[in-house]
């Protein structure tokens, strides 16, 4: 059976290869925190990647199709591409948040992160940086499930809505998506910078950090 013949097969093969490499390269250092961080990064890439797809590809493509009076093309995108992309998008957002919470909780940084480094006896720079990213991600998660998805259901016909309600839903979903696009840039910066802050704070084997 060729795993490249389906998305599921390709992903399954990718996970098997990744686990094999982890075992071969670092058989004693790949532990629970490493697993949590890996899944957090993977799901975050899917989430943010689709966020950029919606804003930079799909929405402009729909506008171009409508300006060309090609309603059939726009309808095809809305019927076939959008629901599938939105399904991956919203579940990746949940998985990203949960795996991030798992990592922070198991590393003893959950409360410190969400209090922005002020939860202990002394200010913690790592917790401030990772916490800022966590709060931005939480706001983005809220936007996905409370603003974007409920309004997209009206646009996709999953929930019945009048033309006026659809116009309002399109504006609300679009604005929330643009807010998330904006927030994704500093969020990624915080996530990338947090590891450097941890290395400065903790004199330990990198395996104990990552």
């Amino acid at each position: 059976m060729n795993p490249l013949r389906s998305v599921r097969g390709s992903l399954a093969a990718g996970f098997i290869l990744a686990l094999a490499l982890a075992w071969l390269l670092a058989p004693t250092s790949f532990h629970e925190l490493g697993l949590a961080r890996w899944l957090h990064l993977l799901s975050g890439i899917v989430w943010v990647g689709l966020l950029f797809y919606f804003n930079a590809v799909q929405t402009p493509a729909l506008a171009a199709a409508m300006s060309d009076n090609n309603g059939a093309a726009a309808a095809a995108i809305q019927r076939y591409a959008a629901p599938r992309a939105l399904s991956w998008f919203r579940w990746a957002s949940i998985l990203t948040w949960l795996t991030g919470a798992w990592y922070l909780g198991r590393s003893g940084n959950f409360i410190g992160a969400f209090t922005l480094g002020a939860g202990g006896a002394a200010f913690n720079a790592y917790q401030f940086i990772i916490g800022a990213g966590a709060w931005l991600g939480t706001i983005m998660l809220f936007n996905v499930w409370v603003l974007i998805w409920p309004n997209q259901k009206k646009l996709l016909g999953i929930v019945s809505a009048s033309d006026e309600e659809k116009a309002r839903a399109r504006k609300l979903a679009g604005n929330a998506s643009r807010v998330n696009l904006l927030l994704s840039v500093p969020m990624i910066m915080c996530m990338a910078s947090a590891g450097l802050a941890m290395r400065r704070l903790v004199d330990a084997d990198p395996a104990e950090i990552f």
Side-chain angles (χ1 to χ4, degrees), residues 156-173:
L156 296 172
I158 299 173
V159 173
S160 60
S162 65
D163 289 342
E164 182 180 346
E165 288 173 329
K166 287 182 179 179
R168 186 164 57 250
R170 185 175 291 106
K171 183 177 181 180
L172 285 171

Side-chain angles (χ1 to χ4, degrees), residues 43-67:
S43 56
I45 288 170
V46 175
W47 181 18
V48 176
L50 283 168
L51 176 64
F52 274 75
Y53 161 77
F54 284 127
N55 282 275
V57 179
Q58 181 172 293
T59 299
L62 281 170
M66 293 305 294
S67 66

Side-chain angles (χ1 to χ4, degrees), residues 92-115:
S93 71
I94 285 283
L95 187 58
T96 302
W97 197 94
L98 289 176
T99 52
W102 175 21
Y103 179 81
L104 289 174
R106 295 296 291 167
S107 64
N109 289 297
F110 186 88
I111 294 176
F114 280 94
T115 56

